[in-house]
Amino acid sequence: MKNIFNRRKGFTLAEMMVCLTIISIIATLLMPAISRLRPNKSKVMFKKTYYLTERIVSELVNDEESYPFVEDRVGFDNVDEVEINGITYSGINKFCQLFALKLNTLSGDSNCVATADWNNPSFVTTDGVKWIIPATDFANQEIFESILVDVNGEKEPNCMDSETDTSACKQPDRFEIKVRADGKMKVDGIMAREYVGSTNMIENEK
């Protein structure tokens, strides 16, 4: 006689199928929430890049060695020659070259020319960010010059943050940071403003 107390072990195929169905339903329901929790890499990198730019701009504009006080000049518009560590910097390339000195770039030389573009940026930092720094004398103290950054370098989507429309580029990796001769900064892009907030921005500047 069979032992009536024997219990069967394991699951039947039908039970396994029910379990898998339940798991798949739960996973489907949870995936959108998990996706929302995943950090936006472009956002993280842009915030890092923005605050790094803010720090460097502040250091440079307040550096008497790099930008000594000259009457009627407020900061970066002083393009007179200065010598730092035996190297001279002057003219429209001065800001770009001094900016590059504050960063860990992949190569020692910076491409500080007016023709710098995404294919030939001013320099690339060790974290993969491409930088295009303006070659300018900041002659108009009220005009903001544009620092352009591609926060993931060669990787796609390689599209620019817009000031008016996000439909063409929902997750931009290229951003514009604007800087003035006196060191004031702002961003106008929709996503850039969302990423760094508006507390540090200049409102209603032209």
Side-chain angles (χ1 to χ4, degrees):
M1 178 184 290
K2 280 187 176 182
N3 187 344
I4 60 173
F5 296 104
N6 280 346
R7 302 283 185 179
R8 63 180 176 81
K9 297 179 180 179
F11 296 97
T12 66
L13 180 60
E15 289 171 333
M16 287 292 293
M17 292 299 292
V18 170
C19 287
L20 290 174
T21 301
I22 293 172
I23 291 170
S24 64
I25 291 171
I26 293 172
T28 302
L29 293 173
L30 290 178
M31 279 305 292
I34 293 172
S35 297
R36 285 193 296 271
L37 291 174
R38 186 182 305 156
N40 181 328
K41 188 173 182 181
S42 290
K43 176 180 178 179
V44 171
M45 285 301 296
F46 176 67
K47 288 179 70 174
K48 172 188 172 183
T49 302
Y50 175 81
Y51 290 117
L52 180 60
T53 302
E54 187 177 51
R55 177 177 63 78
I56 293 173
V57 166
S58 178
E59 288 178 1
L60 285 176
V61 80
N62 292 297
D63 183 356
E64 280 292 319
E65 183 180 10
S66 300
Y67 291 96
F69 174 78
V70 176
E71 190 176 356
D72 298 329
R73 298 183 188 177
V74 297
F76 300 137
D77 52 340
N78 179 3
V79 293
D80 294 344
E81 182 178 292
V82 295
E83 184 175 328
I84 299 174
N85 297 327
I87 301 175
T88 58
Y89 303 92
S90 64
I92 64 172
N93 296 330
K94 180 179 178 180
F95 175 74
C96 174
Q97 291 171 333
L98 293 178
F99 193 100
L101 288 179
K102 300 281 188 178
L103 293 167
N104 294 320
T105 59
L106 289 180
S107 62
D109 297 327
S110 53
N111 182 36
C112 291
V113 294
T115 55
D117 58 24
W118 295 120
N119 293 321
N120 296 287
S122 301
F123 48 81
V124 179
T125 44
T126 53
D127 55 4
V129 177
K130 284 184 178 182
W131 299 75
I132 300 177
I133 307 295
T136 176
D137 59 5
F138 289 90
N140 189 329
Q141 297 177 0
E142 300 302 316
I143 296 296
F144 283 88
E145 302 289 350
S146 296
I147 295 174
L148 301 177
V149 293
D150 186 325
V151 297
N152 63 3
E154 298 293 339
K155 296 179 182 178
E156 295 183 347
N158 291 331
C159 64
M160 195 76 190
D161 184 23
S162 170
E163 295 181 21
T164 57
D165 180 23
T166 59
S167 60
C169 186
K170 297 186 183 301
Q171 290 193 339
D173 55 350
R174 291 177 174 176
F175 301 88
E176 180 181 32
I177 302 170
K178 295 183 177 181
V179 60
R180 205 166 60 180
D182 60 0
K184 301 295 188 196
M185 289 173 49
K186 70 173 182 174
V187 292
D188 292 331
I190 295 173
M191 301 307 295
R193 291 181 68 86
E194 177 186 326
Y195 290 168
V196 300
S198 59
T199 54
N200 293 325
M201 305 301 130
I202 299 175
E203 302 294 341
N204 302 318
E205 286 281 7
K206 295 183 179 179

